[in-house]
C-alpha cells in the first residue's frame, strides 16, 4: 500500500503519480513507463490510427506512449504535454531521436490550457491521467478545441470508478478522482463528443474512444 509522507511535509512516493517532482518523481516516471506498458498496449488495440495528421498525448508522463504512437503512426507527428517538468524532461530523453528529426515535440502544459491552435490534431490520447485533470468537462472541451472535426479522443485508465482498486488509489493519492465509466461518457457528451467504442477487462481497466462531433 502507498506509504505516508515524511514529517517534514515531503510527499509520499505514490503522490508522485499526480505530478512527479524531485528524485521520487524521477523514479515514478521510470516506474510508469514500464508498469503501464501492458495497459497502453491493451488500449492501443482499439485506436483508429491516422495514416497522417498530428497526434497529441495529453499527460504524457515519461514518454513511453509517445514512443509507441510514433511507431504506430509512421506518417504522423506526435506531440506531448505534461504539467510536470520531471515528466517533460524524461519524455524528451526517451524520444530524443524523433524530436531531433522533427517528428515530435514535448511541452510543459496542462489539459485545461493547451498551447495549440484550434483543429491541430487528428487524435488525442490520455493514458492514466484524467484522474488528475481539473474541471473535467472544461478539459474535455479544450481537447475538442484542438481536434479537427471528426477527430478522436481516447481515454485509457487502469482504475475504473466502480472497482475497489480505484477507490483505494483515490483515497491514497491526494487530488486523484477515479470516474465511473458512465460519468466519463456523460462528460464527453456534454463537451461535444460521441462515444464510439468502449472496453473493460477483469482487472478493472477501462478504455473509451470518442469522436468530436461536427
Amino acid at each position: 500500500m502507498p506509504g505516508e509522507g515524511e514529517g517534514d511535509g515531503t510527499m509520499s512516493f505514490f503522490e508522485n503519480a499526480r505530478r512527479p517532482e524531485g528524485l521520487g518523481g524521477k523514479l515514478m516516471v521510470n516506474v510508469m513507463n514500464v508498469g503501464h506498458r501492458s495497459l497502453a498496449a491493451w488500449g492501443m488495440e482499439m485506436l483508429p490510427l491516422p495514416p497522417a495528421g498530428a497526434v497529441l498525448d495529453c499527460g504524457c508522463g515519461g514518454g513511453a506512449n509517445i514512443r509507441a504512437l510514433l511507431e504506430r503512426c509512421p506518417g504522423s507527428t506526435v506531440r506531448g504535454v505534461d504539467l510536470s517538468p520531471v515528466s517533460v524532461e524524461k519524455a524528451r530523453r526517451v524520444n530524443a531521436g524523433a524530436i531531433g528529426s522533427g517528428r515530435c515535440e514535448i511541452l510543459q502544459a496542462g489539459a485545461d490550457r493547451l498551447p495549440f491552435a484550434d483543429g491541430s490534431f487528428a487524435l488525442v490520447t490520455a493514458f492514466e491521467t484524467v484522474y488528475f485533470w481539473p474541471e473535467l468537462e472544461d478539459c474535455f472541451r479544450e481537447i475538442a478545441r484542438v481536434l479537427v472535426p471528426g477527430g478522436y479522443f481516447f481515454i485509457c485508465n487502469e482504475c475504473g470508478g466502480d472497482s475497489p482498486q480505484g477507490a483505494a488509489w483515490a483515497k491514497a493519492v491526494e487530488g486523484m478522482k477515479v470516474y465511473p465509466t458512465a460519468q466519463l461518457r456523460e462528460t464527453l457528451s456534454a463537451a461535444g463528443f460521441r462515444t464510439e467504442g468502449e472496453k473493460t477487462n477483469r482487472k478493472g481497466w477501462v478504455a473509451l474512444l470518442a469522436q468530436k462531433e461536427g
Side-chain angles (χ1 to χ4, degrees):
M1 288 295 293
E4 297 299 326
E6 301 295 333
D8 63 359
T10 303
M11 68 170 63
S12 74
F13 175 69
F14 286 96
E15 287 292 324
N16 280 288
R18 177 168 54 91
R19 187 173 180 178
E21 296 179 2
L23 177 59
K26 291 178 180 180
L27 293 172
M28 177 58 80
V29 294
N30 289 331
V31 168
M32 290 191 294
N33 272 357
V34 175
H36 294 162
R37 189 178 297 159
S38 296
L39 172 74
W42 173 83
M44 284 188 190
E45 292 174 357
M46 69 183 296
L47 278 183
L49 300 178
V55 176
L56 171 65
D57 188 30
C58 194
C60 64
N65 293 328
I66 292 176
R67 182 171 56 193
L69 288 164
L70 285 162
E71 293 174 357
R72 293 173 67 90
C73 309
S76 300
T77 59
V78 180
R79 290 179 169 84
V81 295
D82 201 284
L83 270 177
S84 164
V86 169
S87 294
V88 170
E89 179 186 6
K90 175 67 174 181
R92 286 173 176 168
R93 288 202 306 270
V94 168
N95 296 286
I99 292 171
S101 70
R103 284 195 63 209
C104 182
E105 181 183 27
I106 300 168
L107 303 172
Q108 185 179 352
D112 57 340
R113 190 175 296 179
L114 296 170
F116 306 109
D118 296 359
S120 293
F121 300 99
L123 170 67
V124 176
T125 61
F127 293 89
E128 282 289 272
T129 183
V130 299
Y131 317 120
F132 308 112
W133 290 4
E135 303 299 334
L136 195 62
E137 184 177 332
D138 290 344
C139 290
F140 285 4
R141 289 188 186 279
E142 180 69 348
I143 297 293
R145 181 186 67 78
V146 302
L147 278 169
V148 298
Y152 288 94
F153 178 30
F154 178 71
I155 299 170
C156 191
N157 290 344
E158 186 173 5
C159 297
D162 300 319
S163 71
Q165 179 188 24
W169 276 105
K171 183 177 179 180
V173 180
E174 182 180 357
M176 180 175 182
K177 185 171 183 181
V178 181
Y179 297 95
T181 307
Q183 184 177 352
L184 289 174
R185 287 196 304 266
E186 291 168 4
T187 308
L188 285 165
S189 178
F193 288 96
R194 179 177 61 253
T195 301
E196 292 291 314
E198 176 184 332
K199 70 174 181 176
T200 61
N201 67 11
R202 288 179 295 179
K203 297 179 181 180
W205 296 357
V206 177
L208 284 171
L209 179 66
Q211 188 173 30
K212 178 181 174 179
E213 297 183 348

